[in-house]
Amino acid sequence: QVQLVESGGGLVQPGGSLRLSCAASGTWFSIDAMGWYRQAPGKEREFVATITRGGSINYTDSVKGRFTISRDNAKNTVFLQMNSLKPEDTAVYTCNAKVGAYSFWGQGTLVTVSS
């Protein structure tokens, strides 16, 4: 079992920045991909960004150029630097980790972009 704990959410004005962190624990196995998903009010959860253990990265189109995902493999931690935030980025951001055929989820952290 893998436990994921997110931090860094909060309220920010449009154009501002936030940095999310997600620390994984509870596994003796290497974590393959780690990533972020988000769910806005009244919408389905959507993919935001992912990074593999080897450093391959993918972003959803709407965050390219504004969000940066990074990872500390030694600490099993993934980060999401979010810049130039927009009101439409408001959502619960949830961390995901893949270990072999298994997928684990955090509890989520709320990001609210509002003036």
Side-chain angles (χ1 to χ4, degrees):
Q1 190 74 6
V2 176
Q3 292 81 42
L4 301 172
V5 179
E6 301 106 332
S7 61
L11 173 64
V12 63
Q13 292 186 343
S17 298
L18 281 176
R19 188 182 193 226
L20 305 183
S21 301
C22 172
S25 62
T27 178
W28 292 102
F29 299 97
S30 296
I31 296 176
D32 302 319
M34 297 187 76
W36 294 92
Y37 291 71
R38 67 185 180 185
Q39 186 167 19
K43 295 187 177 181
E44 294 187 352
R45 184 166 60 192
E46 66 170 352
F47 165 78
V48 176
T50 188
I51 181 168
T52 68
R53 187 170 185 81
S56 295
I57 291 172
N58 280 296
Y59 297 101
T60 192
D61 286 346
S62 63
V63 309
K64 286 181 180 176
R66 300 188 298 122
F67 290 10
T68 302
I69 191 170
S70 59
R71 177 173 172 171
D72 184 335
N73 288 331
K75 297 182 179 180
N76 280 339
T77 301
V78 64
F79 306 96
L80 186 68
Q81 178 66 43
M82 305 185 294
N83 298 329
S84 302
L85 282 161
K86 305 175 181 179
E88 51 263 43
D89 294 318
T90 295
V92 174
Y93 285 71
T94 305
C95 178
N96 173 266
K98 290 182 172 57
V99 180
Y102 298 95
S103 186
F104 300 92
W105 297 91
Q107 293 298 310
T109 185
L110 177 63
V111 172
T112 302
V113 184
S114 175
S115 55

